[in-house]
Amino acid sequence: MAENTADLDLGSEALSSVAAKFTMSGLGFVGVVLFARVLGPTGTGRYYFALAIALLLVRVDAGVGVALKKRVSEVDSDPRPYLTVGIAFHLVWVAVVATATLVVARHTTFLPMTPLVVAAVVGVLATVGLFQILNRFYAGLGHPSRSLWADTIRSVFTLGLQLPLLFAGYEAFGLLIGLAGGTLITALGVFAAAGIRPGIEGFGDTGEDLFAFARYSVPTAVVEDLYKRVDVILIGFFAGDAAVGFYETALRIITPAQQLSGSISNALGVKVSGLTSLGQEIREDVVNTVAYSGLLILPMFFGALAIPAALMRTFFGSSFGAGGAALVGVASFFIFYIYQDPFSTALESSDRPQFVFWLRAAALLIHLPLAAMLGYYWDGLLGIIAATLFVEIVLFFTYQYVSKKQLGGVIFPRPLWAQLGSAGLMYVAIITVRPLIALSWWLPVVALVCFGAVIYFVALTVLSPHFRLTLGNVLLPALRRIEERVT
């Protein structure tokens, strides 16, 4: 049954979520490397094109999942009819998409895929969409970190099924079927772990209650997905495939910072929903989340600023050194993107999803013409990155304004300034040492990165009493629990 989400241990849940996210990221990276080596650029592109279509359709289920997570995390809510509504919606959505896809594939040339791959796309929608519904429902019951570990387990099952099919010669179809199979197994496991069975009592009222939130969370999920993908489309149009490669690989370097922020916000959302359902204050938890959302992005930005070309060459090869400027640009706009996470999560989880939807829709409407203009008249890659940076800065300060009106004031917690100062000290240390080291191969680059990380965390420990307190209250108890389980 559901936990009392208002009493959720935010620090412990966030730490467990971070571990799950990083494990999942490692598995995903291994998969990408193997797919690329076996399929080559064309086969890999065929797979990711089909996957992109499937995942765009899944965003509708994801939006409903967000609504489910919000409603069942409210204290004293009955989760059974919500589960019924969520599954019923998913089945209807899959039926509609399958019918439409069949008509389009049979009577037009709009989908440049074989019938088998089209069928696999629908299979991915059916299984991944179901998983989105069930796993977010499970998180809302009071298990946000367990839901992320379920996603990690899904990655294990998926990769385990994909690789035999890939090496057997099934190419993109095999990868999609492996994803669908691994996801279905995990979805059934999540259903069993939740321990809740669908119920029809109060079905009508529950549907209306869910719709009141989903009418904003579903379009928000779709708009946000379009906002994330439009940069790649515009860069490819104005600057070509190589520029897209620089942009996408730069994003991969920054991924850990986003995963940390997302993990903390995932736990925040469940707790805020529980607190607001009891009429309790949420500001303190939002402040604590903002304080540590950017723990990694700030040193990553200053590290990228210090040795951009060396980082790109080390991770992706010598031909990627020219993408150093893209890495700095991506890291800069991610600073403002990441710090928005706690605000949007707090607003959605306190039953105010309309603010997030309208802000995201406005961001997309501003970003599209600005990115197209700068991409065409200035620089296809850097111009579009600059447009994204501008929009993210505006969004960040807009969220601060909304926070002032809705959350009791703007939020710039003191630990944030300590992190900024520590990252600045790290930058000075790196550029001081850099001329003394030949960054011609991976080992000295990795050593310099590790040196910078040590400087950053030592400085942060010295400068921030709050960080020292957090280490004592969150990290050390977690390590003790791990030691007890091992021994």
Side-chain angles (χ1 to χ4, degrees):
M1 293 298 289
E3 304 285 340
N4 185 347
T5 53
D7 294 333
L8 199 70
D9 186 340
L10 194 57
S12 177
E13 289 289 330
L15 187 63
S16 180
S17 297
V18 169
K21 278 277 192 180
F22 283 6
T23 303
M24 187 168 26
S25 177
L27 290 169
F29 185 76
V30 169
V32 170
V33 171
L34 290 173
F35 300 162
R37 290 183 181 275
V38 174
L39 296 177
T42 302
T44 304
R46 189 178 297 119
Y47 166 62
Y48 280 107
F49 176 78
L51 183 63
I53 293 175
L55 294 184
L56 182 60
L57 295 169
V58 167
R59 298 309 296 167
V60 175
D61 279 317
V64 174
V66 170
L68 279 173
K69 178 181 172 181
K70 167 67 183 84
R71 291 304 184 218
V72 301
S73 60
E74 295 171 354
V75 177
D76 294 331
S77 66
D78 183 358
R80 292 172 299 175
Y82 285 108
L83 180 58
T84 304
V85 173
I87 293 176
F89 172 86
H90 171 67
L91 293 175
V92 171
W93 175 237
V94 171
V96 169
V97 171
T99 302
T101 303
L102 180 64
V103 171
V104 171
R106 177 167 295 183
H107 298 289
T108 74
T109 58
F110 182 72
L111 292 176
M113 297 180 289
T114 66
L116 276 178
V117 172
V118 172
V121 167
V122 175
V124 169
L125 167 64
T127 55
V128 176
L130 178 64
F131 179 77
Q132 290 286 336
I133 293 287
L134 294 176
N135 204 38
R136 291 176 191 259
F137 174 82
Y138 183 51
L141 295 177
H143 311 297
S145 63
R146 292 185 191 177
S147 72
L148 287 181
W149 279 110
D151 212 358
T152 303
I153 293 170
R154 179 173 77 105
S155 298
V156 174
F157 282 130
T158 295
L159 196 59
L161 292 175
Q162 283 180 323
L163 292 183
L165 292 169
L166 176 66
F167 293 129
Y170 288 98
E171 298 186 338
F173 172 74
L175 294 180
L176 292 168
I177 290 299
L179 173 59
T183 301
L184 179 60
I185 293 170
T186 315
L188 295 175
V190 170
F191 179 75
I196 305 295
R197 299 297 174 261
I200 59 173
E201 184 178 353
F203 181 87
D205 292 338
T206 299
E208 293 179 7
D209 191 33
L210 196 65
F211 173 76
F213 194 93
R215 63 176 174 165
Y216 292 108
S217 64
V218 170
T220 297
V222 174
V223 166
E224 191 162 6
D225 192 65
L226 288 173
Y227 179 76
K228 289 177 180 178
R229 295 179 188 277
V230 74
D231 275 5
V232 175
I233 296 171
L234 291 175
I235 290 170
F237 183 77
F238 289 118
D241 293 340
V244 172
F246 294 150
Y247 182 83
E248 287 286 352
T249 48
L251 283 176
R252 298 301 179 272
I253 293 179
I254 304 301
T255 294
Q258 184 183 13
Q259 289 176 329
L260 174 66
S261 173
S263 299
I264 300 173
S265 293
N266 182 50
L268 174 70
V270 176
K271 184 169 186 180
V272 163
S273 180
L275 290 171
T276 53
S277 68
L278 297 174
Q280 295 181 14
E281 179 59 48
I282 65 171
R283 181 176 171 81
E284 182 180 353
D285 288 299
V286 178
V287 170
N288 287 333
T289 304
V290 172
Y292 290 101
S293 289
L295 183 66
L296 295 183
I297 189 59
L298 291 172
M300 282 186 166
F301 167 73
F302 280 102
L305 194 62
I307 49 171
L311 288 172
M312 293 291 283
R313 286 196 303 265
T314 298
F315 286 105
F316 305 109
S318 58
S319 60
F320 285 86
L327 175 60
V328 175
V330 168
S332 64
F333 76 66
F334 255 90
I335 293 174
F336 297 95
Y337 175 79
I338 281 173
Y339 277 115
Q340 295 166 38
D341 258 1
F343 296 103
S344 60
T345 299
L347 289 169
E348 283 191 326
S349 301
S350 57
D351 225 1
R352 289 170 279 195
Q354 66 274 19
F355 291 104
V356 180
F357 168 69
W358 289 116
L359 286 175
R360 281 294 169 197
L364 181 62
L365 291 175
I366 295 171
H367 180 262
L368 274 173
L370 181 61
M373 182 179 68
L374 292 180
Y376 179 78
Y377 287 105
W378 176 33
D379 183 281
L381 175 59
L382 298 183
I384 291 167
I385 289 175
T388 306
L389 174 60
F390 172 79
V391 172
E392 293 298 340
I393 291 173
V394 171
L395 267 177
F396 172 75
F397 285 104
T398 304
Y399 270 115
Q400 288 286 358
Y401 175 77
V402 174
S403 175
K404 182 178 179 180
K405 297 293 184 181
Q406 299 291 326
L407 302 176
V410 299
I411 297 176
F412 284 100
R414 184 172 296 178
L416 189 156
W417 301 108
Q419 292 162 25
L420 182 61
S422 300
L425 289 173
M426 182 203 75
Y427 172 77
V428 172
I430 290 176
I431 62 172
T432 301
V433 173
R434 184 182 59 189
L436 307 177
I437 304 174
L439 302 179
S440 55
W441 59 303
W442 68 268
L443 186 58
V445 176
V446 171
L448 189 56
V449 169
C450 293
F451 168 75
V454 170
I455 294 295
Y456 171 72
F457 282 107
V458 168
L460 184 59
T461 303
V462 172
L463 293 176
S464 176
H466 195 281
F467 183 65
R468 296 195 296 272
L469 181 65
T470 300
L471 288 177
N473 290 342
V474 177
L475 184 59
L476 294 181
L479 293 175
R480 282 196 292 269
R481 285 196 297 270
I482 293 173
E483 183 182 3
E484 289 171 359
R485 290 174 183 175
V486 172
T487 56

